[in-house]
Amino acid sequence: MVNGVGEGCARLSAVADAVLYEGYLLYPYRRSSAKNRVRWQFGVLLPRNWVEREEPVAPGLSGSADSWYQQTECLLRVRHADASVRVRVRYLQLQHKQVEAADADGGHRPVESLRTADGITRLSFEEAVPRETELVLTLEELLRGSTTAVGAPAGAEYEPLPAGAGRTVRRRREVRAVTTAVAEPLAPELYRLRVRTENSGEAPDPEAPRGAVLGQALLATHTLLAGDGIDFVSLIDPPAGLTEHVRGCRNAFTFPVLGGEPPKSGGEDGASGAFLLSAPIILPDHPQVAPESPGDLHDAAEIDEILTLRTMLLTDEEKAEARATDPRAAEIVDRADTMPPEVFARLHGTIRSLAPAPAPASGRLAWWQEGGDDGLTPTTDTVLVGGVSVGGGSRVRLCPRGRGADAQDMFLDGRSAQVAAVFHDVDGSVHLAVTVDDDPAAELHGWYGRFHYFRPDEVEPLGVADAPDPLRPPRPQAPQAPRPARPADRPEKGRSDAHA
């Protein structure tokens, strides 16, 4: 591997680490919290006989459902004959931390908690150990196919506690797993790569509760790919000529995206790259950890400022319990308690780019000027789409743009929807607030003013023949607004930061 690939892979590892520990602990980071009794929700690969004890598992788009395998398929564009791919399979292995008190006869007995002579309380809890297996495969080896064991052995460690009070025992069960990587040619210099990781273990009792088999599972499973002489093609925003090949890729319980820094040139170059992250959560291409973030918070990619403030407000007793729960919880509490004001100030927000808003073509006053809001009514305003006037009550077909659209928009491609309002943004752009026709909660969303938002060039007007059933009651419309929509006025279409 050339140095550039190694350095780029290291940068992507920061995002991968955020994925690895996504949901590892949840605020308020205490063992007694109900949220921290239901953990390990992403990329969980369990023994097949346990997963399919009642019926075969149905492939999922991402890894929020338990499975016994995870499959990544992506496209490779090969630039020279001696090209190779580096595959890194990463996951957590469950580790049970048991606190044991010393008995008078020299033995030990398990306890839920133990306060030692140094004034520190130890708690029994479930931890996890990161595991990683790396493969470097040439194109020739990929065409033949390669299978490698990626499991982890059982183990136990014993740590004595001060003054002979007892010990902490950390135990791990064996995790059995294999990864198969194989490539198939599709066209000159174009290949489809499949990386499939399977839990090859067997649960002693398929009817056992989930907690009893998690020790045999791969947790937060994901795959990092780096190419030498190879470019990975974006599955979210592929070049026009590769769209059909991308549709032929079958991904199960994972979501592959391009990694590393996005190309500055954009265009076709932005649709491929030397790195790929296949994660059990939905991310955009080129996800990044915010440089202002001082450390992991593990809690569903939550906003750092909010969680840091809430952590600061925990009582001394709650902080003590969090520190006793897990070393990573202790790091979070200590970081919040000792965070310098200038570091905390950076968490409030950062403008990544700033450009002056274009002057409205209509000559209307800017939104911050008195009278700039006059005449704007979202429920009655209209906008021309393909020569057709579209406004509240209009029906449209959703066709989100490929490049620049949110990852979640692709799931609504081709669906019909009803426009609730037309919003004029402070930067001069326009967005249509819509409810999706076959969404069973559409009326409820409309009632509360929760909509999907699309630009006019992301919809197609539907004809009279497609008009809604007159016997069906109309959906609630967005309330009248006395001013144009600010960015905070409309919900985001779906944030997918790796670590906000």
Side-chain angles (χ1 to χ4, degrees):
M1 288 280 165
V2 296
N3 289 338
V5 170
E7 293 170 2
C9 207
R11 288 194 297 267
L12 182 57
S13 292
V15 179
D17 285 343
V19 172
L20 185 66
Y21 287 100
E22 176 72 8
Y24 175 83
L25 281 168
L26 303 175
Y27 172 86
Y29 307 115
R30 295 180 284 110
R31 186 189 68 171
S32 61
S33 169
K35 293 192 295 183
N36 282 314
R37 298 175 187 175
V38 185
R39 300 160 71 203
W40 325 117
Q41 302 300 319
F42 302 99
V44 179
L45 306 187
L46 293 150
R48 183 174 185 176
N49 67 326
W50 186 88
V51 174
E52 298 190 337
R53 61 194 182 280
E54 296 179 356
E55 59 184 3
V57 62
L61 180 69
S62 60
S64 58
D66 292 341
S67 175
W68 59 273
Y69 73 96
Q70 185 181 85
Q71 177 173 297
T72 300
E73 285 193 351
C74 59
L75 299 184
L76 308 178
R77 290 195 289 198
V78 177
R79 289 187 268 110
H80 52 75
D82 58 347
S84 62
V85 175
R86 177 171 295 184
V87 180
R88 295 165 63 191
V89 179
R90 309 173 83 234
Y91 62 92
L92 296 175
Q93 179 185 17
L94 189 68
Q95 175 174 269
H96 181 67
K97 179 184 68 173
Q98 179 64 60
V99 178
E100 296 183 351
D103 290 333
D105 59 4
H108 295 84
R109 55 184 175 83
V111 294
E112 285 299 304
S113 65
L114 182 64
R115 187 175 180 85
T116 54
D118 55 4
I120 298 176
T121 299
R122 271 79 175 181
L123 300 177
S124 297
F125 194 60
E126 287 183 340
E127 302 174 335
V129 179
R131 301 299 186 192
E132 179 177 307
T133 301
E134 182 173 276
L135 319 170
V136 180
L137 303 169
T138 65
L139 181 59
E140 182 179 348
E141 290 172 324
L142 287 171
L143 290 172
R144 292 198 305 264
S146 173
T147 299
T148 304
V150 297
E157 284 100 31
Y158 300 84
E159 176 188 353
L161 297 178
R167 64 185 185 182
T168 299
V169 184
R170 290 176 168 86
R171 296 184 176 90
R172 298 176 299 278
R173 298 173 65 181
E174 180 185 18
V175 175
R176 297 182 179 181
V178 296
T179 292
T180 299
V182 61
E184 59 175 316
L186 300 177
E189 302 181 344
L190 181 68
Y191 299 81
R192 178 181 292 118
L193 173 66
R194 179 187 306 117
V195 179
R196 183 181 173 102
T197 298
E198 301 178 357
N199 186 318
S200 55
E202 185 170 323
D205 179 11
E207 301 300 324
R210 184 175 186 264
V213 293
L214 280 174
Q216 297 177 260
L218 294 77
L219 309 172
T221 314
H222 60 281
T223 304
L224 279 171
L225 301 174
D228 185 2
I230 282 175
D231 288 325
F232 298 98
V233 174
S234 170
L235 302 185
I236 296 176
D237 190 14
L242 298 180
T243 301
E244 289 304 316
H245 288 306
V246 164
R247 289 176 178 170
C249 292
R250 297 291 178 261
N251 288 283
F253 306 103
T254 190
F255 194 84
V257 297
L258 296 181
E261 292 291 330
K264 296 181 179 179
S265 59
E268 289 293 305
D269 292 337
S272 62
F275 309 101
L276 188 133
L277 169 61
S278 187
I281 58 177
I282 296 176
L283 297 169
D285 278 337
H286 308 291
Q288 298 181 40
V289 173
E292 296 79 17
S293 177
D296 288 332
L297 291 167
H298 311 307
D299 196 345
E302 186 54 272
I303 298 173
D304 287 43
E305 183 184 31
I306 295 175
L307 273 190
T308 300
L309 278 170
R310 293 175 70 91
T311 302
M312 289 177 175
L313 294 175
L314 293 175
T315 65
D316 290 342
E317 292 76 14
E318 290 172 327
K319 291 179 179 179
E321 184 187 349
R323 290 187 175 99
T325 295
D326 188 276
R328 293 183 178 274
E331 290 178 9
I332 293 172
V333 173
D334 292 342
R335 185 169 63 243
D337 281 351
T338 60
M339 185 175 293
E342 63 272 16
V343 174
F344 182 78
R346 289 200 299 266
L347 301 183
H348 187 61
T350 298
I351 298 175
R352 302 294 181 198
S353 62
L354 186 63
S362 63
R364 184 188 299 275
L365 294 173
W367 64 268
W368 63 82
Q369 296 175 305
E370 185 175 356
D373 300 345
D374 295 346
L376 294 179
T377 52
T379 54
T380 58
D381 284 348
T382 60
V383 62
L384 286 178
V385 179
V388 178
S389 181
V390 172
S394 299
R395 298 191 67 249
V396 295
R397 178 173 290 106
L398 306 177
C399 47
R401 297 166 298 169
R403 187 162 290 111
D406 289 345
Q408 289 85 351
D409 288 352
M410 68 179 69
F411 309 126
L412 301 178
D413 189 17
R415 307 268 284 277
S416 60
Q418 184 170 333
V419 177
V422 177
F423 286 106
H424 297 265
D425 293 339
V426 296
D427 62 359
S429 62
V430 177
H431 280 85
L432 303 177
V434 306
T435 54
V436 180
D437 284 342
D438 57 358
D439 182 353
E443 293 188 17
L444 182 62
H445 292 327
W447 180 265
Y448 283 103
R450 301 178 65 90
F451 302 104
H452 296 282
Y453 291 85
F454 290 86
R455 294 173 60 91
D457 61 353
E458 294 181 302
V459 304
E460 296 175 353
L462 291 177
V464 177
D466 296 312
D469 185 345
L471 298 180
R472 185 177 63 185
R475 292 177 182 157
Q477 300 295 303
Q480 298 254 345
R483 56 178 176 79
R486 301 334 191 233
D489 291 331
R490 52 185 181 85
E492 293 179 345
K493 292 161 71 175
R495 289 195 57 186
S496 50
D497 306 296
H499 193 61

